[in-house]
Amino acid sequence: MIDRRTLLAAGTAAAMSPALPAWAQGGGATNPPFHHIAVGSLRATVVNDGAATRPDATQGFVVNAEPAQVASAFRAAGQAGNALENPYNVTLVRTPAGLVALDVGTGATPALMTNMRAAGLDPAEVVLIAHTHFHGDHIGGLISSDGSAAFPNARIMVPEGEWRFWMDAGEESRATPARRPGFANARRRFAPYQGKITPFAPGAQVAPGISAAASHGHSPGHVSFLVADGGAQLLVIGDAITTPSLFMANPEWYPVFDMDPTMAVATRRRLLDQLATDRIPVVGYHFPMPATGRVERAGTGYRLIAG
């Protein structure tokens, strides 16, 4: 377990900002707002936490592609215009041990709580929250507007590499100005759960039927979660792969938010090959709802067959 001293040693609490880029703080509705997936005897539910729009994703979003290439990728996917609709999709799994949340959304709007209830899920039922990583749109929902725990009955499990990085004052001092607020934001979001936080290593089982798989690169300790029961499987990939029209079709591209681009691209290629070869259904945090489907090879890249 991790205590309050560990949480607060790296500095004081952050301001109320969820440490998201201005364009990413939207809360637009996305339909359908939830989607149930059977995984053997387990039931996963993907719940939307709203969406934001980046007005022109050809500018500054894909670091190693020219604007014309990004625009061409959108056209190839049948999209008109260059705006990027960026949904936030939280996966919850009903397990024998109770309801488990894999990330908790932005916390910027009531959308997650509203859509959970619409899906028949009571936020008070959440007994465990397991995180893929600590970027603001994945941990913002840990606290309510008054700073209290939004899921007071939940224990928290965190990737050990992710915790080590974001709680390190040395890493914070070396971070770029754009990235530095994320350190204080992480401390603030986890503070109400003092004494209830447990780190885990890749490969660990975080709950019955849910195990962690290393998928580093987007962030230092990023993990994905394999939900499995019998022969049924579902891979919840967090941000290891985002925006299928861009980063499945062109797995060598990387977005500005990938913290270690070389590792992120290698991880993305490995996951896409595995998903296409083994035909494992996938859930993407930033995929268009229903945010799930199967990956298949398409030319030199891949594509998502939603459903």
Side-chain angles (χ1 to χ4, degrees):
M1 295 295 192
I2 295 170
D3 61 19
R4 181 178 179 82
R5 179 175 296 177
T6 303
L7 267 171
L8 299 181
T12 57
M16 289 298 290
S17 168
L20 299 176
W23 71 270
Q25 295 184 31
T30 294
N31 289 309
F34 62 86
H35 177 65
H36 297 300
I37 308 166
V39 187
S41 64
L42 303 176
R43 187 176 77 165
T45 304
V46 182
V47 180
N48 180 254
D49 185 36
T53 301
R54 190 180 187 104
D56 185 356
T58 68
Q59 302 298 316
F61 181 62
V62 183
V63 176
N64 59 336
E66 296 296 326
Q69 293 176 296
V70 178
S72 178
F74 282 144
R75 301 297 88 72
Q79 175 178 320
N82 296 325
L84 173 64
E85 185 77 6
N86 192 56
Y88 309 109
N89 302 310
V90 174
T91 301
L92 298 106
V93 185
R94 181 77 67 181
T95 77
L99 188 61
V100 176
L102 306 178
D103 292 331
V104 287
T106 69
T109 73
L112 178 63
M113 300 298 192
T114 299
N115 291 337
M116 282 181 64
R117 293 186 179 98
L121 304 174
D122 183 350
E125 290 185 276
V126 177
V127 298
L128 174 68
I129 299 167
H131 287 279
T132 62
H133 67 299
F134 292 1
H135 287 169
D137 54 334
H138 294 253
I139 64 172
L142 282 169
I143 64 175
S144 301
S145 58
D146 63 0
S148 63
F151 298 90
N153 300 320
R155 296 180 296 109
I156 309 294
M157 295 192 72
V158 294
E160 59 183 14
E162 197 74 357
W163 181 270
R164 187 166 55 246
F165 178 85
W166 292 103
M167 297 298 155
D168 187 324
E171 293 289 358
E172 182 175 16
S173 71
R174 292 186 291 272
T176 63
R179 187 161 290 153
R180 193 168 297 136
F183 291 84
N185 185 61
R187 291 193 299 271
R188 183 171 185 274
R189 301 292 162 174
F190 288 109
Y193 299 89
Q194 54 182 298
K196 300 170 70 175
I197 301 171
T198 304
F200 62 84
Q205 183 180 75
V206 299
I210 306 176
S211 58
S215 50
H216 307 337
H218 179 71
S219 67
H222 190 290
V223 301
S224 300
F225 292 107
L226 183 66
V227 182
D229 183 59
Q233 295 181 317
L234 178 72
L235 188 65
V236 181
I237 57 171
D239 285 5
I241 307 168
T242 64
T243 317
S245 61
L246 298 179
F247 304 111
M248 282 192 184
N250 303 277
E252 73 281 4
W253 289 0
Y254 58 89
V256 65
F257 301 111
D258 280 353
M259 294 176 67
D260 183 333
T262 300
M263 184 178 292
V265 168
T267 292
R268 189 151 44 249
R269 288 184 177 279
R270 172 176 56 82
L271 287 175
L272 287 166
D273 179 69
Q274 178 187 2
L275 291 164
T277 299
D278 297 341
R279 298 186 57 77
I280 301 172
V282 64
V283 173
Y285 194 82
H286 296 296
F287 290 5
M289 283 295 278
T292 184
R294 293 184 185 272
V295 174
E296 66 177 27
R297 291 178 176 84
T300 58
Y302 299 82
R303 63 186 168 207
L304 179 70
I305 306 301

